[in-house]
Amino acid sequence: MPQKIKVAVAGARGRMGQEVVKMVLQDPELELVAAVSPSAAGVDAGRMVGMESVGVQVESELETALRISKPDVLVDFTTPQTVLHNTETALKYGVRPVIGTTGFTPEDIERLDKQCKELGIGGLIAPNFSIGAILMMKFAAEASKYMPHVEIIEYHGDQKLDAPSGTSIKTAELISEVRQELRQGNPKEEETIDGARGGYYNGFRIHSVRLPGVFAQQEVIFGAFGQTLKIRHDSYDRAGYMPGVNQAVKKVMTYAGMIYGFEHIMD
Ligand code: NAP
């Protein structure tokens, strides 16, 4: 049997992190070697996710965990504030980052890509690991060629830290690559309440709804004479992201450079 891929998980006690820990423990091709989450330090990682004890204690500090456990891959679902530092720490130890946390600038991604290439290792930053969401983005970009008047509405739980979502920004980027230059709406438009028209991106708008009870949804709405088209994706469960994360952990072992977007490695 080929060697198992050694995986560390940052944000292991988080909502996404726990799903990643379970996914890794359930795949015989993967081995959980470290789990990092300050609030669960000292707890067995298996027990933390309601499974059998696995003999991997959750650590409070990423750098120590990486130095001791020497993983092949770090999966990060932490916070926009910590993820850049975590990614740089992984590269410092030659560990391939698979990043689900949002919050990178294009300059960050370019710099990390250069670093990965210099080190000869792969990495992935994916604002969304779900196949349905990737298809929603692709279809939206395709539609924007023919219906360039577009607005994005994204819906998430009220505890989400960043707005707009990484997925909506990625959608807007893909649309902008193919949509004709166009500043939508009435040029004399004025907001009587600040933010009423949403965030401005390259001629169109992104709206962020934050409500308890909502998980993750996005609608891309196109308008033309006498018609609208809506492309909508709904996520109901965090487990839905795990086939994508699993595929990414295996794929980053096979190339050099930091890829941005799961669609580029999707089979
Ligand atoms: P969450 O439940 O709040 O979990 C975040 C975790 O990060 C917490 O458990 C926290 O640990 C941990 N953390 C904070 N600082 C850390 C550090 N320095 N080192 C290690 N762990 C640290 O959040 P979530 O819902 O899982 O989401 C996490 C991120 O993933 C968000 O940015 C979200 O937008 C993104 N996300 C991405 C996708 C995708 O497909 N790419 C899907 C869903 C969510 P403690 O609890 O121990 O303090």
Side-chain angles (χ1 to χ4, degrees):
M1 188 171 158
Q3 278 213 321
K4 291 186 176 197
I5 300 171
K6 294 182 188 163
V7 182
V9 181
R13 196 193 182 203
R15 288 161 292 193
M16 287 297 284
Q18 291 202 36
E19 293 297 329
V20 178
V21 168
K22 282 190 242 174
M23 179 276 287
V24 172
L25 292 175
Q26 285 161 355
D27 185 338
E29 293 176 28
L30 306 181
E31 180 185 358
L32 184 77
V33 295
V36 183
S37 212
S39 68
V43 176
D44 183 274
R47 291 256 178 232
M48 181 182 70
V49 297
M51 294 173 68
E52 299 265 294
S53 173
V54 290
V56 175
Q57 287 205 337
V58 178
E59 301 276 347
S60 60
E61 213 260 317
L62 180 68
E63 181 152 3
T64 317
L66 295 184
R67 200 175 48 235
I68 294 169
S69 66
K70 298 187 174 45
D72 299 305
V73 177
L74 170 73
V75 181
D76 184 295
F77 282 96
T78 57
T79 66
Q81 290 73 30
T82 52
V83 67
L84 180 58
H85 180 252
N86 286 357
T87 309
E88 285 168 343
T89 306
L91 295 183
K92 183 173 159 189
Y93 286 90
V95 179
R96 298 157 186 84
V98 169
I99 308 293
T101 314
T102 45
F104 290 91
T105 64
E107 294 74 34
D108 291 335
I109 296 170
E110 204 175 308
R111 189 164 33 79
L112 293 166
D113 179 42
K114 209 165 146 230
Q115 271 178 272
C116 280
K117 284 179 177 144
E118 280 164 11
L119 291 163
I121 62 173
L124 178 75
I125 296 171
N128 204 313
F129 280 99
S130 103
I131 175 115
I134 301 291
L135 292 176
M136 174 263 295
M137 289 189 251
K138 276 181 188 260
F139 297 156
E142 183 65 16
S144 73
K145 289 185 203 165
Y146 308 99
M147 298 179 81
H149 289 263
V150 55
E151 305 224 355
I152 299 174
I153 308 178
E154 55 96 349
Y155 307 75
H156 282 86
D158 63 336
Q159 296 307 304
K160 184 168 173 58
L161 293 170
D162 52 325
S165 70
T167 301
S168 68
I169 295 172
K170 181 76 186 168
T171 311
E173 288 169 359
L174 293 174
I175 287 173
S176 294
E177 282 171 18
V178 294
R179 170 182 175 266
Q180 72 191 56
E181 290 263 342
L182 172 70
R183 173 144 192 162
Q184 288 173 203
N186 190 328
K188 292 188 188 148
E189 176 183 85
E190 275 179 34
E191 286 182 336
T192 49
I193 296 178
D194 269 355
R197 289 290 292 116
Y200 178 83
Y201 186 97
N202 216 3
F204 58 99
R205 302 281 174 171
I206 307 177
H207 309 264
S208 297
V209 178
R210 296 289 177 266
L211 285 171
V214 177
F215 182 50
Q217 278 123 24
Q218 181 168 297
E219 256 174 24
V220 189
I221 309 176
F222 299 88
F225 292 113
Q227 60 185 311
T228 60
L229 168 68
K230 289 183 189 164
I231 299 174
R232 181 181 170 103
H233 177 255
D234 300 272
S235 275
Y236 301 107
D237 191 320
R238 289 180 181 84
Y241 297 105
M242 291 309 122
V245 178
N246 182 287
Q247 195 177 319
V249 167
K250 292 170 183 172
K251 272 278 168 76
V252 289
M253 300 296 291
T254 64
Y255 61 83
M258 181 66 89
I259 290 177
Y260 173 55
F262 179 65
E263 65 278 13
H264 300 298
I265 65 155
M266 215 160 74
D267 281 332

